């Protein structure tokens, strides 16, 4: 999940900020190398919260 998220964000943000010139894929690759560890740690950090929210939503739904 983090790998795909980081790749999509790098593709879009690079296209918006730098344009899609001849160095586009090289620039995306450089951005991806920097963004991937941040995205991975972010997913690990947010996962417990998401799990709690899902459990809370499912529990609330079953009790109705």
């Amino acid at each position: 999940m983090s790998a795909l998220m980081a790749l999509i964000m790098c593709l879009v943000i690079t296209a918006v900020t730098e344009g899609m010139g001849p160095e586009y894929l090289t620039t995306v690759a450089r951005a991806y190398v920097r963004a991937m560890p941040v995205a991975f740690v972010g997913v690990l950090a947010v996962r417990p919260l998401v799990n709690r929210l899902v459990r809370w939503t499912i529990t609330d739904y079953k009790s109705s």
Side-chain angles (χ1 to χ4, degrees), residues 13-40:
I13 292 170
T14 302
V16 169
T17 59
E18 304 286 326
M20 295 183 68
E23 295 294 317
Y24 175 70
L25 292 179
T26 303
T27 306
V28 168
R30 283 192 202 122
Y32 182 76
V33 166
R34 292 180 182 110
M36 182 52 208
V38 175
F40 183 72

